[in-house]
Amino acid sequence: MGHEGHEHDEHGPHGHEHTHGHGHTHEHAHGHEHAAAPELARGAGAGHVLFLDAPSGLAGDMIVAALVDLGVPRAVVADALACLPVTGYHVHFGTRVRSGIVACAFDVHVDDPQPARTYGTIRAMLDESRLPEGIKARAQRTFRRLAEAEAKVHRAPIDDVHFHEVGGVDAIVDVVGSAAALDHLGAEVVVSPLPMGRGFVKAAHGTLPLPPPAVVECLAGLRTYDAGIDFELVTPTGAAIVGAHASSCERWPAMSPERVGWGAGTADLADRPNVLRAVLGAPDATHAHDHEHATHTVLEANVDDATGELAASWIESLLAAGALDVWATPITMKKGRPALTLSALAPIARADAVAHAMLRETTSLGVRRHDVSRLERPRRVEHVETPYGRIPVKIAEGPYGPPQLKPEFDACVAAARAHGVPIREVVRAATAASVFLGSGVEYPPKAGRRPEGPPDD
């Protein structure tokens, strides 16, 4: 069900660029050219808000198109798709005009038959792909959101869920393309309340009511409203993307807009332009700590009958449900009983899912919650070359002192095992290489070049 309501045109009305499944691109010009926005550098959205304004709903292709129109380089999407072991398709960027607005369009065309895919198959494919860690994590989070929704609707084991339409190559392209664009920006994602259409839609399981059951599950924690028209305005793929990545849902966040991009759907709607607006802006610091602008939720439960093994499994389950961090604190309860307070920090959009997991997994009869706002250092992931392979490094920046650099420990563990060396040796090599990130110096330094500073002009 990746694109019901936003079906693909064979051709955009103006120029478009084709990208094939193997990553090659070529362009065709038809009619007048649409002036592209200046490209945004990687990390340009750090410390900023990316607002997805969706009065006409959204789909995966509309999200990718809006982010490219905003300024994410098309090569970012193409390079990510080239890392996938998926062939038999091509994509193109074009333009469509909606109520006088010239918006970007992103179309996926399937050239060869595609195999049926389950969530387990897609998860393994992403794990084994050459995608950078930041993009891979976002894509996995999106498909996990979809899988949880489908498993709940069909009462099926999560790994055995057949995605049908949303497991098709077009949805895989939309999920990975949007993950690459969001990772490139590095901004906090906020989405507007989403319009829900009425009526019915035909799918692999038969005729389904609108909004489709999986859409409703994916949008748990986000605000929705009746659109008043018989049309599928929000697709499962689009719902999963915003459900997995939006930190909050607001009619318009307190921000100073700096960039705007438009993504077009293909259908002509009678009462509204079928477009998605992406706005990148600086947050308004005067409202950063208002209760109504809370971005995260802290959830807590006291448990007095937990073993160490159970507590470890609970932490894993809450992280899988969408918590950003989980911790257990020793406490003493009534009658002097030793116990644990299980706590989790989650984006507001994932708070209900994490609370449900806490009640499901533990023996607690209730979960406390309070909303908080969080000041964050902008973060991004870069890769460094070491004698033990390519290692991802997390970089925390912003106006809070020197950047903090930390090699991804799991990647260091894997590299150490592959090369038969202590983990500390891989961490040391990655840390040494990390010192040169952003300095303009290559590591290891080339012959004749001083490692202590940028090369002379």
Side-chain angles (χ1 to χ4, degrees):
M1 290 176 284
H3 294 275
E4 292 91 350
H6 301 284
E7 299 89 349
H8 295 297
D9 288 337
E10 282 300 310
H11 303 286
H14 305 301
H16 52 264
E17 175 185 63
H18 289 267
T19 303
H20 291 266
H22 45 70
H24 296 164
T25 64
H26 59 276
E27 294 188 1
H28 300 281
H30 301 292
H32 64 272
E33 300 252 345
H34 170 51
E39 291 187 347
L40 290 166
R42 178 172 177 79
H48 285 58
V49 172
L50 173 66
F51 178 51
L52 299 179
D53 183 27
S56 304
L58 47 77
D61 56 327
M62 296 174 74
I63 294 173
V64 174
L67 296 180
V68 167
D69 197 52
L70 186 74
V72 173
R74 295 181 182 183
V76 168
V77 175
D79 290 347
L81 297 181
C83 292
L84 296 174
V86 178
T87 58
Y89 75 94
H90 69 275
V91 307
H92 74 252
F93 290 94
T95 55
R96 297 190 184 104
V97 181
R98 297 284 180 256
S99 298
I101 299 170
V102 180
C104 181
F106 178 64
D107 295 320
V108 183
H109 299 284
V110 180
D111 303 317
D112 300 320
Q114 297 291 318
R117 296 180 174 95
T118 64
Y119 171 61
T121 301
I122 292 175
R123 188 184 66 231
M125 178 190 72
L126 293 174
D127 278 339
E128 296 165 6
S129 72
R130 296 180 290 108
L131 285 169
E133 291 302 318
I135 300 174
K136 184 182 297 185
R138 285 184 178 272
Q140 290 283 28
R141 197 186 316 167
T142 302
F143 269 113
R144 177 79 186 191
R145 185 83 166 191
L146 268 173
E148 289 174 346
E150 294 284 358
K152 186 173 181 180
V153 171
H154 301 298
R155 303 294 194 269
I158 190 168
D159 276 354
D160 297 337
V161 165
H162 280 269
F163 282 138
H164 300 289
E165 292 90 342
V166 296
V169 67
D170 58 340
I172 293 173
V173 168
D174 288 347
V175 169
V176 173
S178 62
L182 292 172
D183 181 71
H184 181 83
L185 283 175
E188 176 190 357
V189 180
V190 177
V191 66
S192 68
L194 294 170
M196 297 288 100
R198 305 166 177 171
F200 299 90
V201 64
K202 290 184 178 180
H205 293 290
T207 301
L208 297 176
L210 292 178
V215 167
V216 178
E217 295 291 340
C218 284
L219 295 180
L222 300 177
R223 282 184 283 167
T224 61
Y225 63 94
D226 178 17
I229 62 173
D230 292 343
F231 194 80
E232 185 183 12
L233 295 172
V234 177
T235 69
T237 307
I241 292 170
V242 295
H245 301 293
S247 64
S248 63
C249 184
E250 302 180 38
R251 290 199 174 277
W252 193 277
M255 63 184 293
S256 299
E258 297 176 1
R259 285 279 196 108
V260 178
W262 296 90
T266 60
D268 284 312
L269 303 180
D271 65 339
R272 67 195 75 193
N274 192 6
V275 291
L276 170 69
R277 175 163 50 186
V279 184
L280 184 67
D284 185 346
T286 60
H287 296 281
H289 300 287
D290 287 357
H291 176 75
E292 63 175 314
H293 290 86
T295 58
H296 295 75
T297 296
V298 175
L299 303 148
E300 295 180 338
N302 292 349
V303 188
D304 63 1
D305 55 355
T307 64
E309 289 119 334
L310 280 174
S313 70
W314 296 342
I315 290 173
E316 183 178 349
S317 295
L318 297 184
L319 290 171
L324 300 177
D325 199 4
V326 185
W327 61 98
T329 307
I331 61 171
T332 301
M333 294 179 64
K334 60 186 179 182
K335 300 181 181 180
R337 295 174 184 167
L340 293 175
T341 294
L342 185 65
S343 305
L345 175 69
I348 285 181
R350 296 299 295 164
D352 287 344
V354 174
H356 292 166
M358 191 174 285
L359 287 172
R360 182 184 69 242
E361 299 292 334
T362 73
T363 56
S364 177
L365 300 179
V367 174
R368 302 182 299 276
R369 64 175 288 173
H370 59 275
D371 294 340
V372 298
S373 59
R374 186 170 77 159
L375 180 64
E376 300 181 5
R377 289 190 75 151
R379 286 163 292 178
R380 59 190 174 92
V381 176
E382 296 288 353
H383 290 75
V384 296
E385 299 294 338
T386 75
Y388 311 105
R390 200 162 180 250
I391 302 295
V393 177
K394 290 182 283 191
I395 307 171
E397 299 173 306
Y400 312 109
Q404 296 180 8
L405 310 173
K406 185 177 180 181
E408 186 66 53
F409 188 74
D410 288 347
C412 292
V413 171
R417 290 174 178 168
H419 290 83
V421 298
I423 296 172
R424 65 177 181 274
E425 181 60 23
V426 180
V427 172
R428 184 202 63 77
T431 301
S434 301
V435 173
F436 297 89
L437 286 175
S439 67
V441 181
E442 297 178 358
Y443 185 89
K446 291 183 178 179
R449 180 172 292 177
R450 300 193 306 272
E452 63 273 16
D456 295 331
D457 292 334

